[in-house]
């Protein structure tokens, strides 16, 4: 829908018929994300806000503080339905007063020292309190970016319809590095991108700064994200050449006021490819000198450059092992170059070798555990939540808790590579939460993964969480309205890994749509159940990596052959006429042996293993009796069907909510749920027909008949599926 | 800038401070194109419109008529600054009454039969006239789409501030097929696309219809475009398989109400690739039968499918010559399959062979001229405006006028492959106009190219014009605000090839920005001079094809080697120590001999040839005395400098206009002009330094010193430039 410009409205205000005229044109396209600042509609609450907030006074003039002021003024004007008069020089009741202890005598005189001490470098204090005899809402922090975070927090409170009367909050991030990883290529394609193409319009950089870059930074700052790795982990050395550094620097300049640092991926062979050296051996002094010069050059372009993310000796990428050096040797040569500037290395633990015949689930641990303590102080090892690769469900990665001397950074995937792409509504906070809550038992009960990455189990000097971005050029940023909830949830959990999925969904729904309980509650229920639905219709009971080859779009349990055994489905499902599942128990690959004993005992026992991990850890006979009393075969089919049924319930829920949502977003969600239902059936039918060739067991009565035969599903060809 | 939703405003109308609040947020991003429907600001004129137009009455209920009604109601509400009350059942003064003769007794009773006869199938009559005693504005047509075109025409009249009192217009398109050719690949990359990626989100089709598809159709209908070739000329047979036809059909359904038919490109080897045949020989009965079945299948998906565009035996594409058959044989097998359904074939004349040693400029004529009369009735041969390939300037293609028995369709390139991509402001209407006005002398003086394609020189049963689209996912559609003027101009010229660049620019500026004369006049001047500026800084005096290899971004006069001689620059410039230029005179390749004698005599003579084509047709000594009195060398340098100077004048013009434009669009144009100035210097310096290695002549005093040496320019590597 082409929108009439807002400017047009300014000229037609006197006209009586305006109301119906504007409402007919109020198309929403999702661009505003959770920053819609839609007017508070509940009259009592709006009255309360109007009384509480009469103006904005930001103490200071830095770019970050001006960003905070912009956000407060425009956000409040939207939420309250009216622009606020200028704050002026003298205090009055109802001002929002924002500033830092160091930058504002007014703020430093408020007696908030204890609270500010708890807020730390990046946190904030929000407090309704008298200031020199006037009612005020104070946003205080130790840094300008803390003020900005506080401003967003205040706006969120209003947008989610919380009262401000007794406002008293101190919030500080539990992790220092809260990063989005963009797998964006220099030609703007995105590996595993389902929301169009890369936001970075390299051709027009550094000369033209798309206004969208700033909105990207605003959205990230609003959820506490403080870094962006703008290039793909399958790195291209060209991105480290001067013309491209100038482009990265232009983005860094836009992001800087929002507290977001730019990071780059470093291709390990760059010294050869763009440096003209004969080797990239990390112990070669020329190589070390080259990296030092290159890093110095980067800091001339980007004085607050964050550092490097590196994928090395993984899936064909070059790395230190090409020279018989260790991952620590590789990371350290980069770390030494970055250290004088305060930059860090994030070295990915996602490595596996086809030559080594060991279970792929064991390989990262095998490689990295022996290197504990061998990394420089400014290195973090970045570990995926599970030991394989961002599956709908995985047990937590055994490295968590196993490297007491090496800071481990969590890597989640926000983009839905294995979760139906953008058209499947899968709210990922429960997946993230499940991983973070998992107990490693590293130092006894309560040694959760969250505590490990926070440095609460072993004291880590660095802490962090990375999310593989789902952002692209699509107008709604993430390819679908609901996929944006995953970006939001990631940011929230990176700030506080112990937050709950429910509270995050609640806040996102209210800001993105409405606070009407008749909408919030059913939508929240739908979101909270959606990840389990996807597990059920794709890979129930611990199955994993059953997706089609390369693009991973749709089912491919039959996928075999090709360059690597562990890129095939049978490697993971191991179905035969006796049963199904990967024996990783002590009598199998013994992947369970990489966990601490309490965990190993539970996962390794067919009796004790949680059924959601059953086929991850065990090869189980088709007639194995499940806790439900059903056989494994019947239970498996029941799960596939349950996944389809759950999507149908989501459709029914959404169908009842059209009155609460603008037609554009309503229709997009409706259409995508229809695709999801269709594809859930595709998954169910393709997998059941395929596994039936092994089990030889009948489909229980009442089960929906597959639409096509197995051959039909095997022949489907989606070669232009996005993301590769 | 995240925008506040319009809906928010509805709630804040009573608030006094609203005006400044909204104006601060009125970001424009170019999405609205020339359909902004911004309020008419001149008070007298607005009063006139408000008196003339009091309501909309569309007679009929077809989807097309509802589209016309939607456009009129929303467009008029925007332009007049107020929604119009419903028209009701009884007539009153000031109604816009729209309908067809067949569908509306009211319209058929108005005595407009003579005008309607002139309007033809797709045209319209616009008339201010009394209807049953009431003042009315009538939009009458013989078809629903004629009504839609008339509705857009009325809205344009108001948006460009023309009075309606004596409105009396009859307009009919001079060409029947007015098509955009999208060179869009199935993975959404666009060959020669500089505005992001393909609008067609294949992965989500056919299930989800992005609202943007409809806005695409609206924009096209508003300028009379009635067809869209949605796939690339470098065709992929997959697009003819059932799943992809379903996707194309979904687009066709959105476009249909707007009078836009979907066309596809046909890969000539499809019978082998997706049909399982052993051959694609057009004379093989199995091949003919396969195409017939395939076309029948397409029409089951898309009942009003338009037909095929084919690039065959060109740049490596398969074609009939692979089987020693002619282009006519190839076109006719497809034409026979399409004929029963009313579909057409557009067979491209853009063919050249590396084996044939003839001048590339001669090859299309050599191939096609002998085939005149050999094509079926539903075939058009689609000919580029010039004999090489969409250069900044080319003489007209010698095929125009040379095929009296074969309808020739014009192919223009709207996307700026050879014209600086999206960041160079180059208004292309003067290029199009120059080609259309060129006199072929086929039937004596006045046998212009426009007349040829209109069927006015030789009677053609089919007429048409195609434009290679510059549209992509960029929010502003074409990569830059001004590039949209080229889409607009193409549509206008396809409707009436004899329109002038000036009038088209005038209407576009007023609708896209404002009608303020202090803005319209300087911007029009800037646009009208911009193409000549680009010719000057890129390829003055008839030079051509001097762009960098493959991506064509920036200068590459030194580009040599590679697979084909005619993909190198020296093939075209032929510079040596004696002079520069391609001798195509009678003593050279005799390309001039393909033109009618009057033209051949002019182009073939060093004395008579227009200097803008000098080096296209002649190899000229460096010291050749130009009409200015300067030597060729000095003139060449003067031209390069003039191009740079012209861009600087454009910058100065724009700098003075910030008060007329919203900050977002102003800043984008400013930034792009800065890029253009920088790249104009790059072109000038790289070319002058390079040609100087042949001429050995000094740079005249006062000429700007190049920033770098030739080696620097030769080493520039832009491997990720878009569009390939």
């Amino acid at each position: 829908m082409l929108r009439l410009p807002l400017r047009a409205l300014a000229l037609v205000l006197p006209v009586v018929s305006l109301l119906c005229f504007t409402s007919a044109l109020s198309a929403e396209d999702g661009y505003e994300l959770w920053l819609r600042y839609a007017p508070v509609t509940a009259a009592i609450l709006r009255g309360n806000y109007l009384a509480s907030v009469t103006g904005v006074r930001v103490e200071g003039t830095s770019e970050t503080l001006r960003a905070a002021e912009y956000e407060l003024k425009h956000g409040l004007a939207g939420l309250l339905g009216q622009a606020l008069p200028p704050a002026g020089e003298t205090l009055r009741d109802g001002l929002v007063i924002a500033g830092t202890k160091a930058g504002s005598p007014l703020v430093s005189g408020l007696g908030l020292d204890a609270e500010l001490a708890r807020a730390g470098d990046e946190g904030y204090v929000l407090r309704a309190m008298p200031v020199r005899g006037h009612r005020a809402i104070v946003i205080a922090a130790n840094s300008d970016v803390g003020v900005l975070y506080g401003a967003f927090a205040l706006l969120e409170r209003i947008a989610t319809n919380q009262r401000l009367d007794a406002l008293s909050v101190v919030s500080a991030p539990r992790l220092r590095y809260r990063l989005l990883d963009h797998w964006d290529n220099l030609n703007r394609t995105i590996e595993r991108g389902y929301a169009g193409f890369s936001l970075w319009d390299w051709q027009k950089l550094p000369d033209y700064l798309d206004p969208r870059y700033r909105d990207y930074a605003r959205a990230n700052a609003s959820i506490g994200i403080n870094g962006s790795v703008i290039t793909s982990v399958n790195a291209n050395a060209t991105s480290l050449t001067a013309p491209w550094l100038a482009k990265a620097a232009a983005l860094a300049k836009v992001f800087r006021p929002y507290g977001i640092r730019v990071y780059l991926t470093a291709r390990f062979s760059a010294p050869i490819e763009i440096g003209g050296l004969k080797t990239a051996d990390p112990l070669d002094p020329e190589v070390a000198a080259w990296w030092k010069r290159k890093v110095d050059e980067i800091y001339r372009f980007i004085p607050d450059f964050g550092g490097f993310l590196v994928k090395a000796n993984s899936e064909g990428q070059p790395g230190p092992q090409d020279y018989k050096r260790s991952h620590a040797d590789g990371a350290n040569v980069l770390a030494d170059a970055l250290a004088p500037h305060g930059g860090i290395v994030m070295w990915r633990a996602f490595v596996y070798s086809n030559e080594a015949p060991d279970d792929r689930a064991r390989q990262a641990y095998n490689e990295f555990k022996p290197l504990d303590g061998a990394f420089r102080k400014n290195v973090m090892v970045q570990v995926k939540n599970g030991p394989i690769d961002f599956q709908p469900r995985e047990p937590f990665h055994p490295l968590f808790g196993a490297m007491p001397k090496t800071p481990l950074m969590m890597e989640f995937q926000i983009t839905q590579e294995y979760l139906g792409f953008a058209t499947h509504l899968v709210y990922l906070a429960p997946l993230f939460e499940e991983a973070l809550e998992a107990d490693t038992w590293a130092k006894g009960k309560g040694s959760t993964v969250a505590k490990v990455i926070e440095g609460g189990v072993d004291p880590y000097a660095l802490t962090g969480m990375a999310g593989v971005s789902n952002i692209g050029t699509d107008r709604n940023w993430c390819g679908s309205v609901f996929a944006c909830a995953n970006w939001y949830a990631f940011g929230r959990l990176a700030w506080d890994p112990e937050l709950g999925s429910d509270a995050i969904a609640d806040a996102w729904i209210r800001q993105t749509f409405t606070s009407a309980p008749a909408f919030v509650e059913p939508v929240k229920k739908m979101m909270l159940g959606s990840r389990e639905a996807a597990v059920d219709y794709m890979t129930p009971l611990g199955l994993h990596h059953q997706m089609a080859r390369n693009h991973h779009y749709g089912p491919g349990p039959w996928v075999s052959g090709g360059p690597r055994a562990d890129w095939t489905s049978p490697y993971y499902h191991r179905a035969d006429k006796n049963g199904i599942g990967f024996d990783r128990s002590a009598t199998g690959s013994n992947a369970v042996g990489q966990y601490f004993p309490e965990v190993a005992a539970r996962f390794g026992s067919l009796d004790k293993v949680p059924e959601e991990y059953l086929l991850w850890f065990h090869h189980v006979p088709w007639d194995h009796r499940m806790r439900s009393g059903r056989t494994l075969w019947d239970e498996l089919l029941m799960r596939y069907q349950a996944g389809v049924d759950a999507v149908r319930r989501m459709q029914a829920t959404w169908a009842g909510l059209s009155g609460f949502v603008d037609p554009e977003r309503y229709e997009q969600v409706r259409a995508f749920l229809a695709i999801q239902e269709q594809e859930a059936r595709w998954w169910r039918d393709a997998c059941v027909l395929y596994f039936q060739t092994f089990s030889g067991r009948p489909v229980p009565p009442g089960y929906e008949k597959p639409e096509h035969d197995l051959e039909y599903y095997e022949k489907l060809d989606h070669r232009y599926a996005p993301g590769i």
Side-chain angles (χ1 to χ4, degrees), chain A residues 57-72:
Chain A
R57 175 172 175 144
V58 175
E59 299 264 302
T61 59
S62 74
E63 282 195 82
T64 298
L65 290 172
R66 279 195 295 159
E69 183 173 14
Y70 169 89
E71 209 66 38
L72 285 168

Side-chain angles (χ1 to χ4, degrees), chain A residues 296-313:
Chain A
D296 291 348
E297 181 189 6
I298 295 174
Y299 278 91
R300 285 195 297 275
F301 278 100
I302 310 171
D304 57 352
F305 176 63
F308 290 133
L309 170 64
V310 187
K311 173 178 178 177
N313 292 123

Side-chain angles (χ1 to χ4, degrees), chain A residues 17-200:
Chain A
S17 57
L18 182 66
L19 270 169
C20 50
F21 162 55
T22 55
S23 65
L25 291 167
S26 62
E28 294 243 12
D29 55 21
Y31 186 76
E32 288 81 2
L33 293 165
W34 49 86
L35 300 176
R36 287 169 65 244
Y37 302 137
V40 173
T41 48
I44 295 172
L45 208 52
R46 181 160 175 265
N48 175 262
Y49 293 145
L50 283 170
S52 306
V53 180
T54 66
V56 170
R57 175 172 175 144
V58 175
E59 299 264 302
T61 59
S62 74
E63 282 195 82
T64 298
L65 290 172
R66 279 195 295 159
E69 183 173 14
Y70 169 89
E71 209 66 38
L72 285 168
K73 285 191 173 165
H74 291 83
L76 290 169
L79 290 163
L80 306 182
Q82 62 187 66
L84 298 172
E89 291 300 310
T90 53
L91 294 182
R92 64 170 186 260
D93 276 355
L95 289 185
V96 174
I97 298 172
T100 63
K101 197 175 151 185
S104 162
L106 188 60
V107 169
S108 71
L110 293 175
L112 294 170
D113 289 8
E115 289 81 358
L116 283 168
R118 281 161 55 210
D121 284 349
E122 294 183 289
Y124 55 85
V125 178
L126 279 188
R127 176 76 72 94
M129 64 187 293
V131 173
R132 296 188 189 164
H134 294 280
R135 281 186 296 103
I137 293 176
V138 171
I139 304 172
N142 297 305
S143 64
D144 290 353
V145 77
V147 174
L148 180 64
Y149 290 146
F152 279 115
L154 175 63
L155 292 166
E156 169 154 339
R157 288 195 164 246
I158 299 174
T160 56
N161 289 5
Q162 298 174 65
R163 289 183 67 96
L164 304 178
D165 315 68
L167 183 64
S168 179
V169 174
V170 179
S171 183
R174 288 171 184 262
L175 300 177
R176 179 163 160 200
Y177 295 92
R178 306 178 298 277
L179 269 58
L180 284 185
D181 290 358
H182 289 269
W183 289 358
D184 291 15
N185 299 311
L186 303 190
N187 65 1
R188 296 186 74 185
T189 59
I190 303 180
E191 191 170 334
R192 313 311 177 183
Y194 313 106
F197 294 82
S198 175
L199 282 188
W200 325 134

Side-chain angles (χ1 to χ4, degrees), chain A residues 4-16:
Chain A
L4 294 190
L6 285 173
R7 187 143 51 86
L9 295 178
L11 299 161
V12 295
L13 279 177
V15 178
V16 179

Side-chain angles (χ1 to χ4, degrees), chain A residues 671-684:
Chain A
F672 286 6
L673 284 171
I675 293 171
Q676 187 173 6
E677 195 271 344
Q678 179 184 311
E679 296 187 352
R681 281 187 282 117
W682 171 27
W683 265 98
R684 178 196 63 189

Side-chain angles (χ1 to χ4, degrees), chain A residues 446-510:
Chain A
S447 305
T448 62
V449 170
K451 288 268 179 290
V452 169
I453 63 169
E454 288 170 13
V457 173
D458 301 297
Y460 286 165
L462 304 177
T463 58
M465 186 186 292
V468 181
S469 158
N470 64 349
I471 298 165
T473 49
D474 275 7
R475 185 67 181 164
N476 63 22
W477 299 87
C478 302
S480 85
V481 174
F482 275 90
C484 299
N486 295 331
W487 177 12
Y488 179 86
F490 169 77
R492 289 291 150 147
L493 286 166
W495 185 276
D496 181 357
E498 296 173 41
L499 273 181
S501 301
D502 187 309
I504 296 170
D506 193 276
W508 178 80
I509 295 166
R510 288 166 184 267

